């Protein structure tokens, strides 16, 4: 059949002569890349892999150089000041809180207490720990809402002629209205060293109401070779004072975590 010149053709062509595949490929690639990135970011499995890889790298670094652990785990929302600049206290508290919270900024500032050099009894230990916190706030070293942890060791006669050294830990967080007390394990102190400390304390010692002028650690250092007045515990128990503070601080951190309000994302 012939078709006339003026007749309408049954076949039509698009007005746009550009290759439609170009636009589809561009939009498809763009959407695919961004979709992939968004999918990866929100994929729990991929996030878990990233977290495990990060943990593995941190573990490798801290294994090769244990001193890096405090730096890797420093940060986050938790900021704690320890009322001492002695590493035995600061490091123990830092390790404990970073173990419980994952990330924690823990630093030390030397606080002062107006009690005897060797506190005697629970009341004296608690008072000494609290006064270290109060002294830092009064001096403006830490602000009034700063969370702080204080450590104070004391001796107590738990039964006739049976003396023990115990560490008192106080956590105070005014922002959340939290006040927690914890204690280290009790370390036996030979009676003879307590008696010597009492003998070396003058009868007119102004702080005698709270304890002795000479610590049992100082007495031990004088009488026993290779014994430090600041960490004699390891000789009697095989456990260092830092380890004892760490154990009590970890319990303190655990109780603190339970009392803190839930975090909002």
């Amino acid at each position: 059949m012939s078709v006339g010149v003026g007749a309408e053709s049954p076949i039509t062509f698009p007005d746009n002569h550009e290759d439609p595949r170009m636009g589809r490929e561009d939009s498809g690639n763009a959407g695919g890349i961004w979709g992939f990135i968004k999918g990866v970011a929100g994929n729990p499995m991929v996030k878990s892999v990233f977290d495990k890889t990060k943990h593995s790298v941190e573990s490798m670094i801290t294994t090769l150089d244990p001193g890096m652990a405090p730096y890797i785990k420093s940060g986050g929302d938790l900021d704690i000041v320890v009322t001492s600049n002695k590493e035995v206290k600061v490091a123990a508290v830092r390790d404990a809180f970073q173990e419980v919270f994952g990330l924690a900024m823990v630093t030390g500032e030397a606080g002062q207490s107006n009690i005897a050099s060797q506190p005697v009894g629970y009341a004296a230990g608690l008072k000494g720990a609290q006064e270290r916190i109060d002294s830092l706030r009064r001096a403006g070293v830490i602000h009034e809402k700063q969370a702080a942890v204080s450590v104070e060791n004391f001796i107590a006669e738990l039964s006739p002629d049976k003396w023990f050294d115990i560490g008192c830990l106080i956590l105070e967080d005014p922002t959340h209205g939290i006040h927690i007390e914890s204690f280290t394990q009790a370390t036996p102190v030979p009676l003879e060293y307590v008696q010597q400390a009492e003998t070396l304390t003058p009868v007119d010692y102004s702080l005698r109401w709270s304890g002795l002028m000479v610590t049992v650690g100082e007495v031990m250092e004088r009488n026993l070779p290779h014994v430090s007045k600041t960490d004699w515990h390891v000789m009697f128990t095989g456990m260092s004072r830092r380890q004892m503070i760490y154990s009590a601080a970890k319990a303190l951190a655990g109780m603190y975590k339970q009392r803190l309000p839930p975090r909002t994302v």
Side-chain angles (χ1 to χ4, degrees):
M1 178 182 296
S2 63
V3 180
V5 175
E8 182 178 353
S9 172
I11 302 175
T12 60
F13 299 93
D15 294 334
N16 184 1
H17 298 287
E18 295 181 359
D19 189 345
R21 292 174 299 173
M22 298 298 294
R24 284 198 299 271
E25 288 179 0
D26 291 345
S27 61
N29 286 340
I33 292 172
W34 288 110
F36 173 75
I37 292 174
K38 291 178 180 178
V40 167
N43 190 309
M45 183 178 294
V46 175
K47 183 177 183 300
S48 176
V49 172
F50 285 160
D51 289 342
K52 288 180 180 178
T53 302
K54 177 176 178 289
H55 176 73
S56 297
V57 172
E58 289 179 354
S59 297
M60 179 185 68
I61 292 173
T62 54
T63 298
L64 294 174
D65 185 0
M68 288 297 295
Y71 301 98
I72 291 176
K73 294 185 177 182
S74 290
D77 299 328
L78 187 65
D79 181 13
I80 299 289
V81 171
V82 180
T83 63
S84 174
N85 55 9
K86 296 177 180 177
E87 188 66 9
V88 65
K89 295 181 179 180
V90 179
V93 174
R94 181 192 298 120
D95 291 348
F97 274 76
Q98 290 179 346
E99 175 70 21
V100 172
F101 287 90
L103 292 177
M105 180 64 71
V106 180
T107 55
E109 294 288 349
Q112 303 300 321
S113 65
N114 189 33
I115 62 170
S117 301
Q118 176 59 77
V120 176
Y122 280 85
L126 287 166
K127 183 175 178 59
Q130 185 63 53
E131 283 191 357
R132 292 183 187 278
I133 297 175
D134 296 342
S135 70
L136 291 179
R137 296 200 197 284
R138 285 195 303 268
V141 177
I142 61 175
H143 60 78
E144 59 181 13
K145 297 297 184 180
Q146 172 68 52
V149 171
S150 190
V151 182
E152 187 75 57
N153 275 66
F154 62 94
I155 58 173
E157 188 176 19
L158 301 186
S159 62
D161 292 337
K162 300 292 184 181
W163 288 85
F164 294 84
D165 175 88
I166 303 167
C168 166
L169 283 75
I170 292 179
L171 183 146
E172 187 177 86
D173 179 357
T175 300
H176 299 101
I178 297 174
H179 181 98
I180 308 173
E181 298 166 2
S182 180
F183 297 89
T184 67
Q185 68 179 60
T187 303
V189 180
L191 177 61
E192 60 185 287
Y193 299 131
V194 176
Q195 291 174 335
Q196 286 186 44
E198 289 177 335
T199 301
L200 293 169
T201 299
V203 291
D204 58 349
Y205 179 47
S206 62
L207 299 175
R208 186 65 180 84
W209 57 271
S210 62
L212 308 173
M213 187 177 72
V214 180
T215 69
V216 292
E218 289 172 332
V219 173
M220 291 181 190
E221 189 175 66
R222 296 177 185 179
N223 288 271
L224 301 172
H226 314 299
V227 171
S228 167
K229 64 181 180 181
T230 58
D231 195 9
W232 50 267
H233 306 72
V234 70
M235 176 182 177
F236 288 90
T237 66
M239 189 174 184
S240 70
R241 186 183 178 207
R242 174 173 171 171
Q243 289 174 311
M244 294 180 183
I245 295 174
Y246 166 79
S247 296
K250 188 174 180 181
L252 192 74
M255 292 185 284
Y256 181 45
K257 188 175 184 179
Q258 291 179 359
R259 293 199 191 181
L260 283 173
R263 294 181 60 185
T264 56
V265 180

